[in-house]
Each structure stands twice: as structure tokens, then as C-alpha cells.
């Protein structure tokens, strides 16, 4: 995922010095750091369990492979996908950062050790569900509220995801037959895009 990141450069008129901007991904890191502080050890234990399951490992292997790579590149080339990336980047949400992070997480999954846990299944979706259960939900939601109240840029970015324009761009992607076929192929390999989105929303304490 190497779509060019386009930051809107804001021209500051007048005499006052520009406020230092906090890039959206720094806000996101605040959420991730809170999660690591609260739940890192539990997450590592969870990883250890799931790495014992063949079904889960098969999804990881698929993601490490050539087919996955070319599928991701094909997705990127869809005009509807490009529209999604452009919209997000136009609203300061630098999507490539998250995709890189997601890749890191997958790479990092191979480390971890075992401890008793209630597991809801043996595949990738169950894993995501179980990681969401470990999130410090109330603290994440409080952080979200605090940022919405005190950071105009953060609020603007989040509000853009409530807009009709975003809904249309998003729906167009899911209506593209090529995209749907690719999403189905991912699901056949245990990777449900909807689950990844659910996880993303949960990181902000919003579900
Ligand atoms: C992945 O592991 C590396 C090395 O241990 C670490 O620096 C990095 O923060 C980890 N990334 C994520 C997303 O967990
Ligand atoms: C979906 O993407 C393909 C490949 O870029 C394109 O040919 C097609 O027009 C798009 N739209 C629909 C509705 O399938
Ligand atoms: C994962 O397992 C659950 C049951 O735990 C099942 O309902 C779901 O369809 C599975 N998902 C995939 C993508 O295989």
C-alpha cells in the first residue's frame, strides 16, 4: 500500500503563529498506546493461543504470501478504492499509516506465549473479537470524547466519516463487483474485512 500521501497544507493568514498541528496518526497512536499500557500482556497471551490454531495460522500465511500481496495491489487500483483513499487523505486521515501498522502487527504476531484464556474460536475473526474484548473500552471512549471536545482537527476528521459524501464513496467501493470478489476471496482465507473495520472502531472506544 504505497499510495502517495497527500497532506493538505494549510496556509495561515494573518500575523499569529500557526498552531502546531498534531497529525491524525499521532492521535491514533494515543489510543494505541493506551491499549498497550492496559492490555499488552493479555494481548500477547491471546496471540500465543491463536498461533496454535491451524485455521488462524493459515490466514497469517495467506497474508504473508504472494497472492495476498497482488490482491491488495489490485484493490488499490480500483477507482472506487482510490476515491476512498483520496477522501480520507483529504480529511487528514493518512490511511497508509494504518495499513503499515496493520502489516507490523501481523509481522509481530509470531511472538507470544500461552496462558489460560476464554477463546471464542480458532480463526482470524474470533481472534479479532477476542482482542476487542481486551480493549480498555471506557478509557478509550473517554479519550475519544476528550479529543472531540478539545481538538478541532481531530473532530473534523471524525465528523467527515459521518458525512453523506463519505457514505457514498464507501458504498461505491462495496458495490464494485471486483472489490466484492476480492473481499470474498479474503473471507475464504479467513480474513473478514468487516471484522477489521469493527476492530478499528473499537480502538476509538466507539462500539
Ligand atoms: C512490532 O515489533 C517491533 C519490534 O519488536 C516494535 O518496535 C513495534 O512497535 C511493533 N509494532 C506493533 C504495531 O506492534
Ligand atoms: C469496479 O472496478 C473495475 C476495475 O477497475 C471497473 O472496471 C468497474 O467499472 C468498477 N465498477 C463496477 C460497478 O464494477
Ligand atoms: C470463524 O469462526 C466462526 C465460529 O467461531 C464462524 O462463525 C465464522 O464464519 C468463521 N469465519 C471465517 C471467515 O471463517
Amino acid at each position: 500500500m504505497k499510495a502517495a500521501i497527500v497532506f493538505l497544507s494549510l496556509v495561515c493568514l494573518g500575523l499569529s503563529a500557526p498552531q502546531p498541528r498534531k497529525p491524525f496518526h499521532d492521535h491514533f497512536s494515543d489510543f494505541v498506546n493506551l491499549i498497550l499500557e492496559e492490555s499488552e500482556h493479555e494481548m500477547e497471551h491471546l496471540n500465543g493461543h491463536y498461533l496454535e490454531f491451524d485455521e488462524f495460522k493459515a490466514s497469517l500465511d495467506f497474508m504473508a504470501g504472494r497472492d495476498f500481496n497482488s490482491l491488495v495491489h489490485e484493490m488499490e487500483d480500483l477507482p472506487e478504492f482510490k476515491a476512498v483513499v483520496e477522501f480520507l487523505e483529504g480529511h487528514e486521515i493518512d490511511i497508509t499509516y494504518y495499513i503499515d501498522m496493520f502489516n507490523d502487527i501481523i509481522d509481530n504476531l509470531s511472538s507470544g506465549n500461552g496462558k489460560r484464556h476464554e477463546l471464542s474460536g480458532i480463526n482470524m475473526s474470533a481472534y479479532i473479537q477476542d482482542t476487542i474484548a481486551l480493549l480498555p473500552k471506557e478509557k478509550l471512549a473517554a479519550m475519544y470524547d476528550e479529543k472531540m471536545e478539545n481538538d478541532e482537527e481531530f473532530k473534523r476528521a471524525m465528523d467527515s466519516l459521518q458525512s453523506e459524501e463519505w457514505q457514498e464513496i464507501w458504498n461505491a467501493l462495496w458495490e464494485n463487483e471486483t472489490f466484492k470478489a476480492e473481499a470474498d476471496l479474503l473471507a475464504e482465507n479467513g480474513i473478514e474485512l468487516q471484522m477489521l473495520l469493527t476492530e478499528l472502531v473499537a480502538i476509538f472506544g466507539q462500539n
Side-chain angles (χ1 to χ4, degrees), residues 31-119:
F31 289 96
V32 171
N33 289 336
L34 177 60
I35 291 168
L36 291 176
E37 269 168 38
E38 299 281 325
S39 320
E40 187 173 20
H41 293 296
E42 295 281 302
M43 294 271 187
E44 278 172 6
H45 293 140
L46 195 66
N47 295 349
H49 281 303
Y50 274 92
L51 286 167
E52 289 167 10
F53 300 134
D54 289 341
E55 202 167 338
F56 180 75
K57 275 197 300 200
S59 289
L60 287 185
D61 288 347
F62 177 74
M63 283 192 266
R66 206 176 260 273
D67 288 351
F68 180 72
N69 210 349
S70 54
L71 186 131
V72 167
H73 285 298
E74 277 163 34
M75 272 187 179
E76 276 184 312
D77 285 338
L78 293 174
E80 288 86 351
F81 191 92
K82 285 185 178 144
V84 165
V85 171
E86 263 170 40
F87 178 91
L88 292 174
E89 288 175 352
H91 291 83
E92 318 278 320
I93 302 172
D94 35 0
I95 185 174
T96 48
Y97 173 87
Y98 307 100
I99 290 161
D100 287 347
M101 195 183 78
F102 176 70
N103 280 333
D104 276 357
I105 290 172
I106 299 299
D107 285 347
N108 283 5
L109 266 177
S110 45
S111 64
N113 47 49
K115 188 186 159 190
R116 277 294 107 209
H117 264 99
E118 289 291 323
L119 305 181

